[in-house]
Amino acid sequence: MNHLDELEAQSIYIFREAFNRIDNIAMLWSLGKDSNVMLWLARKAFFGHVPFPVMHVDTGKKFKEMYAFRDRYAKEWNLKFIREECPPVEATDETLPPAARSAARKTLGLKAAIEKHKFNALFAGIRRDEEALRAKERVFSPRGETGQWDFRDQPPEFWDQYKTDFPPGTHLRVHPLLHWTEIDIWRYSAREGIPLISLYFANNGKRYRSLGDEDITFPVDSTASTVDEIVEELLTTKVSERAGRAMDHEAEDSFERLRAEGYM
């Protein structure tokens, strides 16, 4: 097997292991490139059918292209699609910086959705190479009763052996893409022919490396208009993947505070 085959096999194993061992599990679908690869892998793991709900926690502020993508493929892939809304920004912690406060709406919306549907676990499409704090994550990551994440109290996962037996009441996040990189995502998307949102490709010298809410996400300078050109760009660029995320340019502890409270 080549590198992409190995990544795919490990992710499929994680999906099947989690689904076999955890009752009432769902997937978070953020509509971005990583989330769409995760969804593609779930379809492969279960032979074209995703056997659990796929949930979008909607801020109402995504790009129109993202909503069009969601509506099309939720139908075409016959997903058990759930859309849940986020509360207004006034409901968030007013001590957070503006962009982080806007992002915190998703944390509150997610907590409400978990409580509403009584989900015991959620698949989420984060990667270790995205952000320093996410590098401390585990594939099977236990959370507190209200969704808090303590990176100092995580189970060891040596030699891809995962702990899936936790005390009653423990909520889990399961991360099938944790071992992937941004370039892996693009190369796999190209190999598999996974649908992609047009915003990722250069238009008038700009493209989006990462997609979030329209009012706090900005494009980066780029002329890459194909997947091959994007991969070539990533091999040499010194611009971080989340350079266009306003939240990542605010106080250094903002992201840590959000993650500790259950941010995706």
Side-chain angles (χ1 to χ4, degrees), residues 81-94:
F81 178 66
I82 298 172
R83 174 185 174 274
E84 295 293 347
E85 295 184 351
C86 298
V89 71
E90 290 76 17
T92 64
D93 182 354
E94 62 183 16

Side-chain angles (χ1 to χ4, degrees), residues 85-213:
E85 295 184 351
C86 298
V89 71
E90 290 76 17
T92 64
D93 182 354
E94 62 183 16
T95 68
L96 286 167
R101 194 175 180 194
S102 182
R105 295 177 60 220
K106 289 191 289 186
T107 304
L108 297 180
L110 179 58
K111 287 181 179 180
I114 291 170
E115 177 61 27
K116 176 180 177 180
H117 298 284
K118 306 301 181 185
F119 291 133
N120 294 319
L122 294 169
F123 292 109
I126 69 166
R127 308 186 327 265
R128 284 197 177 103
D129 74 322
E130 279 183 280
E131 198 274 335
L133 197 61
R134 285 177 171 169
K136 300 176 182 178
E137 270 286 14
R138 299 292 188 268
V139 173
F140 286 80
S141 176
R143 305 297 169 111
E145 291 185 1
T146 58
Q148 306 101 321
W149 176 60
D150 183 356
F151 67 84
R152 293 172 292 267
D153 185 22
Q154 295 289 301
E157 292 182 335
F158 300 124
W159 305 291
D160 295 332
Q161 299 297 307
Y162 306 122
K163 176 178 172 60
T164 58
D165 184 20
F166 291 93
T170 302
H171 178 78
L172 287 177
R173 301 287 171 82
V174 183
H175 304 125
L177 300 181
L178 201 59
H179 52 298
W180 293 56
T181 67
E182 185 182 9
I183 289 180
D184 293 332
I185 292 293
W186 281 109
R187 287 176 169 161
Y188 186 77
S189 296
R191 188 186 85 170
E192 298 290 306
I194 298 173
L196 294 162
I197 294 172
S198 61
L199 296 168
Y200 284 118
F201 300 99
N203 182 24
N204 295 323
K206 299 280 187 179
R207 76 175 187 89
Y208 289 87
R209 287 271 300 276
S210 178
L211 292 176
D213 285 357

Side-chain angles (χ1 to χ4, degrees), residues 9 19 37 47 71 73 76 79 83 94 134-135 159 186:
F19 184 68
V37 164
F47 309 102
D71 295 344
Y73 288 102
E76 285 192 18
L79 303 178
R83 174 185 174 274
E94 62 183 16
R134 285 177 171 169
W159 305 291
W186 281 109

